[in-house]
Amino acid sequence: MSSTYGDQMTTIKDVAKVANVSTATVSRVLNNSDKVRSATRERVNTVIQELNFIPNAAAVGLQRKKTKTVGLIFPDASAYCFAEIIQGINRHLSQNDHQILISSAHDEAEEIKIINGFVRGGRIDGLIMMMPSANGNNGFRIPLAYKIPEVFISCEINAPRSTTILLDNYNAATEMMEHLSKLGHKRIAFIHGGEHNYDAHERYRGYMDGMKAYPTDGELNLVVMGNFTESSGFQATLELMKRNPRPTAIFAANDAMAIGAIEAARALKLRVPADLAIVGFDDISSAAYMDPALTTVHVPLRRLGHLAAEAMLKNLKTNPADRTTEKIIIPLQHIIRRSCGSE
Amino acid sequence: MSSTYGDQMTTIKDVAKVANVSTATVSRVLNNSDKVRSATRERVNTVIQELNFIPNAAAVGLQRKKTKTVGLIFPDASAYCFAEIIQGINRHLSQNDHQILISSAHDEAEEIKIINGFVRGGRIDGLIMMMPSANGNNGFRIPLAYKIPEVFISCEINAPRSTTILLDNYNAATEMMEHLSKLGHKRIAFIHGGEHNYDAHERYRGYMDGMKAYPTDGELNLVVMGNFTESSGFQATLELMKRNPRPTAIFAANDAMAIGAIEAARALKLRVPADLAIVGFDDISSAAYMDPALTTVHVPLRRLGHLAAEAMLKNLKTNPADRTTEKIIIPLQHIIRRSCGSE
DNA sequence: TCAGAATATGTAAGCGGTTACATTCGAATA
DNA sequence: TATTCGAATGTAACCGCTTACATATTCTGA
């Protein structure tokens, strides 16, 4: 069986030979370090161009102990927003000459296995984790002694010297509650996205505190559990509408569930927003095209990805001992459309 | 600055020393090849466990000229379905001990640059490309002399010995046309997704042939260009509804545009499906929760990813000379809901 | 019991780069 | 022109692993 590289991999030796210099010199011009006479540099560069030479990543990695690769772990479930985050990450990383090694995991055990393989196998220089269900509160513990830069997205691991990027779910949620309250709602229900999901939990907290802060019809329990899917939002709404008296507004922890909620309202012949106000979270692209258009909170996913990449690159450049623990919170803006009845 | 691996990378030498054997023997048990006495094997394995040793990927790769990594290129735009495909690919690949190096590109030049880096840098063993706009007809030509396995998703490059995975867009589209025709529609419009997009183009072809095959109100030109977004579907519909006589049905090349179309109909006070039937393509998760629920064509994205990974692994195992050119076409099923007016 | 075969293990040369150190070169100075 | 010294380049070891080949060990059977 022939070589993977198609039999014609060009090596630094080939370049050296053609350019009539030693491999050391070629290496020097590659890493445009040191002093190389400009005539020599030019000659070598020409040969590099001619031979279309790109240094073998394994060889460089072995020597330098750097792979220029960042690991990216994301959950197996709920694909709905990760592509955009990935693109945000990728754009910035690839502009800075770094690659992404990606993998998804469906549970903690698999996650740890993947990370272990990446790190101990020396495949990555840093790790970005999107694990909304991996929070301190549910006992998730990644063995974090790897000493490579870590960036967490939407989870509060609180690992020392790591960067955490969070959405300001809580404040966005309380603001949404304020908005609903101002519209006169006193019985606002919440469709949760999963107890162990960070974003869902924070949105829930915001909801709860909103319920405390603003006037309600007495002691209410209007929270039902969903799982971020349209169908769970649909079911949850059916369930909620059995209550007596009924909620006058529903705050769904994401847009997909809000869409399910709208559909359920329709099935129950309830007018949205007249009989029931419904708001979501995420501002997915179709939210503006619902009937009624969905009031929601905009989440800048690309930007989130960009920030993660930025943090990673920064940490990659700084000495481990000088790395700080950072928490970046992205402020969120709500988008008022028709489904909340404010127009 | 300390080593990336956190100062304590365990090497095969460490294992050898502790197990009191040579590195060759450790290597043998790692690759459970050759004959190693079972007592020795056991002892070595114990040490490997104890030290949590995982061979350095760069070292292995350098020696073996195999990285156990597959490159994955996807377009920068239109993120909407890629996450699921990626998950499909990842699941199967990681179960078979392969990693994914991912990157997105926004044009051909960038694409080629990325691929070149991946391949000549020896970073990958095979390449999966999702480039719906990279078709033979628009002059896109990747330099394909890399001799590594290539799998193309939704593009017809016709590279020899490569595998191409395609959706049966054409037949699904003609069937959709048949369905609309049977419902009595004679003026069916089409919202295109982009001339250079493979899927969009095939759906368009199916539409056109359907228009020829089934009765229409004379010579019609009811095609307008969109770009797969809700807003483009909205605009396109506004445009189409200016025609006189109006189309009685709209076939959008994807669900997002169909959603935009429904919203436009609503804005124009047209009832869907009574005044205007609307159908889409993709079966995104919210399609069933529209009002009316969207008639569409289901696209099994995870399965698509799985098939791509499967093809890749197979090709990775077969001698380049024995690799065949394959084209896998995934049959598609349409989902009849309310928006076409068939109930 | 021991020669010889078969099997298990060790030795060392690379894989393709980087880099410390040695060497050579060229320009400046005396 | 000879000497000196810094800059440019070359030499070779090494990164962690695999593997061809050499060597050691065990197992046969006479």
Side-chain angles (χ1 to χ4, degrees), chain A residues 277-310:
Chain A
I278 295 177
V279 300
F281 211 114
D282 278 354
D283 193 27
I284 61 176
S285 68
S286 59
Y289 294 90
M290 298 291 101
D291 180 36
L294 194 60
T295 290
T296 186
V297 177
H298 182 72
V299 174
L301 297 171
R302 278 269 212 314
R303 177 139 174 273
L304 175 57
H306 184 91
L307 287 168
E310 213 163 56

Coordinates of all heavy atoms in Angstrom, one line a residue, chain A residues 277-310:
Chain A
A277 N -49.9 35.4 25.8 CA -48.6 36.0 25.3 C -47.5 34.9 25.3 O -47.5 34.1 26.3 CB -48.2 37.2 26.1
I278 N -46.7 34.9 24.3 CA -45.6 33.8 24.3 C -44.3 34.5 23.9 O -44.3 35.2 22.9 CB -46.0 32.7 23.3 CG1 -47.2 32.0 23.8 CG2 -44.8 31.8 23.1 CD1 -47.7 30.9 22.9
V279 N -43.3 34.2 24.7 CA -42.0 34.8 24.3 C -41.0 33.6 24.4 O -41.1 32.7 25.1 CB -41.5 35.9 25.2 CG1 -42.5 37.1 25.2 CG2 -41.4 35.4 26.7
G280 N -39.9 33.8 23.6 CA -38.9 32.8 23.6 C -37.5 33.3 23.9 O -37.4 34.3 24.6
F281 N -36.5 32.6 23.5 CA -35.1 33.0 23.8 C -34.2 32.4 22.7 O -34.4 31.2 22.4 CB -34.7 32.4 25.1 CG -33.7 33.2 25.9 CD1 -34.1 33.9 27.1 CD2 -32.4 33.4 25.4 CE1 -33.2 34.6 27.8 CE2 -31.5 34.1 26.1 CZ -31.9 34.8 27.3
D282 N -33.4 33.2 22.1 CA -32.4 32.7 21.1 C -32.4 33.6 19.9 O -31.4 33.8 19.2 CB -32.6 31.3 20.6 CG -32.0 30.2 21.6 OD1 -31.3 30.7 22.6 OD2 -32.2 29.0 21.4
D283 N -33.6 33.9 19.5 CA -33.8 34.6 18.2 C -33.3 33.8 17.0 O -32.4 34.3 16.3 CB -33.1 36.0 18.2 CG -33.5 36.9 17.1 OD1 -34.6 36.7 16.5 OD2 -32.7 37.8 16.7
I284 N -33.8 32.6 16.9 CA -33.4 31.9 15.7 C -34.0 32.5 14.4 O -34.9 33.4 14.5 CB -34.0 30.4 15.8 CG1 -35.5 30.4 15.8 CG2 -33.4 29.7 17.0 CD1 -36.1 29.0 15.8
S285 N -33.4 32.2 13.3 CA -33.7 33.0 12.1 C -35.2 33.0 11.7 O -35.7 34.0 11.2 CB -32.9 32.5 10.9 OG -33.3 31.2 10.5
S286 N -35.9 31.9 12.1 CA -37.3 31.9 11.7 C -38.2 32.6 12.7 O -39.4 32.8 12.4 CB -37.8 30.5 11.5 OG -37.7 29.7 12.6
A287 N -37.7 33.1 13.8 CA -38.5 33.7 14.9 C -39.3 34.9 14.3 O -40.5 35.1 14.7 CB -37.7 34.1 16.0
A288 N -38.7 35.6 13.4 CA -39.3 36.8 12.9 C -40.4 36.4 11.9 O -41.3 37.3 11.6 CB -38.3 37.7 12.2
Y289 N -40.5 35.2 11.5 CA -41.4 34.8 10.5 C -42.6 33.9 11.0 O -43.3 33.3 10.2 CB -40.7 34.1 9.3 CG -39.8 35.1 8.6 CD1 -38.5 35.2 9.1 CD2 -40.3 35.9 7.6 CE1 -37.6 36.2 8.5 CE2 -39.4 36.8 7.0 CZ -38.1 36.9 7.4 OH -37.3 37.9 6.8
M290 N -42.6 33.8 12.3 CA -43.8 33.1 12.9 C -45.0 34.0 12.8 O -44.9 35.1 12.5 CB -43.5 32.9 14.4 CG -42.3 32.1 14.7 SD -42.5 30.4 14.2 CE -41.6 30.4 12.7
D291 N -46.1 33.3 13.1 CA -47.4 34.1 13.3 C -47.9 33.8 14.6 O -48.4 32.7 14.9 CB -48.4 33.7 12.2 CG -49.7 34.5 12.4 OD1 -49.6 35.7 12.7 OD2 -50.7 34.0 12.1
P292 N -47.9 34.8 15.5 CA -47.3 36.1 15.4 C -45.7 36.0 15.5 O -45.2 35.0 16.0 CB -47.8 36.8 16.6 CG -48.0 35.7 17.6 CD -48.5 34.5 16.8
A293 N -45.1 37.0 15.0 CA -43.6 37.1 15.1 C -43.2 37.0 16.6 O -43.9 37.6 17.4 CB -43.1 38.4 14.5
L294 N -42.2 36.3 16.8 CA -41.8 35.9 18.2 C -41.0 37.0 18.9 O -39.9 37.3 18.4 CB -41.1 34.6 18.1 CG -40.9 33.8 19.4 CD1 -42.2 33.5 20.0 CD2 -40.1 32.6 19.2
T295 N -41.5 37.4 20.0 CA -40.7 38.2 20.9 C -39.7 37.3 21.6 O -40.0 36.2 22.1 CB -41.6 38.9 22.0 OG1 -42.3 39.9 21.3 CG2 -40.7 39.5 23.1
T296 N -38.4 37.7 21.6 CA -37.4 36.8 22.1 C -36.1 37.6 22.5 O -36.2 38.8 22.6 CB -37.1 35.8 21.0 OG1 -36.2 34.8 21.4 CG2 -36.5 36.5 19.7
V297 N -35.1 36.8 22.8 CA -33.8 37.5 23.2 C -32.8 37.1 22.2 O -32.6 35.9 21.9 CB -33.4 37.0 24.6 CG1 -32.0 37.6 24.9 CG2 -34.4 37.4 25.6
H298 N -32.1 38.0 21.6 CA -31.2 37.7 20.6 C -29.9 37.2 21.2 O -29.3 37.8 22.1 CB -30.9 38.9 19.7 CG -29.9 38.6 18.6 ND1 -30.3 37.9 17.5 CD2 -28.6 38.9 18.5 CE1 -29.2 37.7 16.7 NE2 -28.2 38.4 17.3
V299 N -29.4 36.1 20.6 CA -28.1 35.5 21.1 C -27.1 35.6 20.0 O -27.3 34.9 18.9 CB -28.3 34.1 21.6 CG1 -27.0 33.4 21.9 CG2 -29.3 34.0 22.8
P300 N -26.1 36.3 20.1 CA -25.1 36.5 19.0 C -24.1 35.3 19.0 O -23.0 35.3 19.6 CB -24.4 37.8 19.4 CG -24.5 37.9 20.9 CD -25.7 37.1 21.3
L301 N -24.5 34.2 18.3 CA -23.7 33.0 18.4 C -22.3 33.1 17.7 O -21.3 32.6 18.3 CB -24.5 31.9 17.7 CG -25.8 31.5 18.3 CD1 -26.6 30.6 17.5 CD2 -25.6 30.9 19.7
R302 N -22.3 33.8 16.6 CA -21.0 33.9 15.9 C -20.1 34.7 16.8 O -18.9 34.4 16.9 CB -21.2 34.8 14.6 CG -21.7 34.0 13.4 CD -20.5 33.5 12.7 NE -20.4 33.4 11.3 CZ -21.3 32.8 10.5 NH1 -22.5 32.4 10.9 NH2 -21.0 32.6 9.2
R303 N -20.6 35.7 17.4 CA -19.8 36.5 18.3 C -19.3 35.7 19.5 O -18.1 35.8 19.9 CB -20.6 37.7 18.8 CG -19.9 38.6 19.7 CD -20.1 40.1 19.5 NE -19.5 40.8 20.6 CZ -20.2 41.0 21.8 NH1 -21.4 40.7 21.9 NH2 -19.5 41.7 22.7
L304 N -20.1 34.9 20.0 CA -19.8 34.0 21.1 C -18.6 33.1 20.6 O -17.6 33.0 21.4 CB -21.0 33.1 21.4 CG -20.8 32.0 22.4 CD1 -20.3 32.5 23.7 CD2 -22.2 31.3 22.6
G305 N -18.7 32.6 19.5 CA -17.6 31.8 18.9 C -16.3 32.6 18.8 O -15.2 32.1 19.1
H306 N -16.5 33.7 18.3 CA -15.3 34.6 18.1 C -14.6 34.9 19.4 O -13.4 34.8 19.5 CB -15.8 35.9 17.4 CG -14.7 36.8 17.1 ND1 -14.0 36.8 15.9 CD2 -14.1 37.8 17.8 CE1 -13.1 37.7 15.9 NE2 -13.1 38.3 17.0
L307 N -15.4 35.2 20.4 CA -14.8 35.5 21.7 C -14.1 34.3 22.3 O -13.0 34.4 22.9 CB -15.9 36.0 22.7 CG -16.5 37.4 22.4 CD1 -17.7 37.6 23.3 CD2 -15.4 38.4 22.8
A308 N -14.6 33.2 22.1 CA -14.0 31.9 22.6 C -12.6 31.7 21.9 O -11.6 31.4 22.5 CB -14.9 30.7 22.3
A309 N -12.6 31.9 20.6 CA -11.4 31.8 19.8 C -10.4 32.8 20.3 O -9.2 32.5 20.4 CB -11.7 31.9 18.3
E310 N -10.8 34.0 20.5 CA -9.9 35.1 20.9 C -9.3 34.8 22.2 O -8.1 34.9 22.4 CB -10.8 36.3 21.0 CG -10.1 37.6 20.7 CD -11.1 38.7 20.5 OE1 -12.0 39.0 21.4 OE2 -11.1 39.3 19.4

